[in-house]
Amino acid sequence: MNDSDSLLPREIVEGLDTEVLGKKEIVHLVETDSTNARARELAEQGAPEGTLVVAERQTQGRGRKGRAWFSPSGAGLYTSLVLRPSMPPNEATRITFLTAVAAAEALLHLTDLNVRIKWPNDILVNGKKIAGILTEISTGRGGVDYAVVGLGMNVNTPGFPDDISEKATSVFIETGERFPRAVLLREYLRQQEACFRRLRTSGFEPILGRWKELADSMGKEIRVRMLENTYEGWVEDIDPEGILILRDRQGISRRILAGDVSFV
Ligand code: BTN
């Protein structure tokens, strides 16, 4: 790892202008199985909102649907935040949408990349995945007890294993230049906090509105693969719960909670 790309806590906090996120404890790990797993442990032990876990390398980085997240040493951002939002569990998908907006805004702010969001939680550049989000929640009687939101972003990753090399990209691959991960992380935390503030003051509509502006699939013909079924159709809308509304050739509209989207 080269010095100018340090993710040590002292590097992260330098110039960090958030109020909560990253302002409590920052746990920096040279290697861990999954930063989400570590953040969950900390949350269970009572870690406050804003606690941040970052790792240089993950040995079992997790993606959606039990997939692995490629996490080579010193190349990407592998980071998880402990959140304690006061919201009912059925609104928790908002956290993923909000985080997708924050991650996309951070990249748009700092690079010239053509950043798009693919439902439900992929950040793409030129059709390839540059970042992904994994939100895990724990619920209690009062609603969401804590949420852990994990962001994996391919920053200086020089290349990918064969099975994902067609589908994945990094800031380095797209720009030809290495980018300081701490700068991206700070901007992500700033954007994330701004989005949460917006959610509290103005509700979910503006966040979802921005998500739709950044989404690459609105109105497009797509195929959604789910566990048992595959549907094709046009994206009519994303509803206020984050559910995808797909209209097929017969004019039937379906509400789709989760699945893998590809363009037809
Ligand atoms: C996905 O697109 O499927 C979600 C990928 C999320 C990966 C990040 S890396 C940091 C955090 N720790 C994990 O184990 N997963 C998330």
Side-chain angles (χ1 to χ4, degrees):
M1 188 185 46
N2 113 17
D3 275 352
S4 65
D5 195 24
S6 166
L7 268 189
L8 291 171
R10 63 163 184 274
E11 200 75 38
I12 295 170
V13 296
E14 202 177 299
L16 179 65
D17 59 0
T18 52
E19 281 173 16
V20 177
L21 303 185
K23 285 288 172 156
K24 303 288 154 111
E25 197 182 351
I26 300 181
V27 178
H28 172 269
L29 302 161
V30 173
E31 178 182 304
T32 190
D33 52 354
S34 153
T35 56
N36 265 34
R38 289 294 74 68
R40 288 189 74 151
E41 271 173 17
L42 292 170
E44 291 288 342
Q45 291 159 16
E49 170 150 274
T51 301
L52 178 69
V53 181
V54 293
E56 295 294 342
R57 168 172 190 257
Q58 296 183 118
T59 53
Q60 289 173 58
R62 314 198 283 242
R64 274 196 315 126
K65 295 184 165 178
R67 291 183 186 133
W69 184 258
F70 182 59
S71 312
S73 187
L77 280 176
Y78 320 118
T79 168
S80 301
L81 276 167
V82 174
L83 303 170
R84 297 196 180 271
S86 40
M87 57 170 55
N90 67 333
E91 286 183 6
T93 48
R94 294 180 174 189
I95 298 172
T96 305
F97 278 75
L98 183 157
T99 302
V101 169
E105 296 282 22
L107 282 165
L108 286 167
H109 204 86
L110 295 172
T111 71
D112 291 331
L113 297 174
N114 174 24
V115 183
R116 311 297 292 166
I117 302 178
K118 188 169 100 170
W119 182 87
N121 64 0
D122 295 350
I123 313 297
L124 307 182
V125 169
N126 296 328
K128 293 184 172 189
K129 188 156 164 175
I130 201 161
I133 295 146
L134 182 67
T135 307
E136 299 181 271
I137 61 164
S138 168
T139 54
R141 261 189 282 155
V144 174
D145 179 21
Y146 67 80
V148 161
V149 59
L151 172 76
M153 188 181 282
N154 305 323
V155 184
N156 296 320
T157 322
F160 295 89
D162 285 350
D163 56 328
I164 54 169
S165 65
E166 296 287 298
K167 293 184 264 177
T169 193
S170 68
V171 176
F172 175 74
I173 291 173
E174 296 297 325
T175 63
E177 281 171 25
R178 290 174 61 83
F179 200 96
R181 290 173 301 162
V183 175
L184 257 168
L185 177 55
R186 275 197 295 271
E187 185 60 23
Y188 160 64
L189 294 173
R190 205 171 69 84
Q191 296 285 349
Q192 171 87 307
E193 195 165 284
C195 285
F196 269 110
R197 207 174 300 123
R198 209 166 171 195
L199 180 68
R200 274 195 302 274
T201 54
S202 316
F204 189 50
E205 270 310 307
I207 306 282
L208 189 59
R210 182 63 179 141
W211 188 97
K212 288 180 189 175
E213 280 171 16
L214 293 168
D216 67 345
S217 46
M218 302 302 297
K220 301 254 179 70
E221 193 176 8
I222 61 161
R223 178 178 299 126
V224 190
R225 279 207 182 81
M226 297 185 300
L227 232 47
E228 302 199 326
N229 298 311
T230 296
Y231 294 114
E232 285 184 9
W234 285 265
V235 180
E236 265 194 318
D237 202 2
I238 307 292
D239 85 355
E241 266 90 56
I243 293 169
L244 184 136
I245 317 287
L246 190 75
R247 179 178 287 270
D248 70 13
R249 281 179 195 281
Q250 285 72 45
I252 298 169
S253 283
R254 286 195 175 80
R255 290 162 53 79
I256 300 186
L257 217 67
D260 284 329
V261 170
S262 54
F263 287 104
V264 175

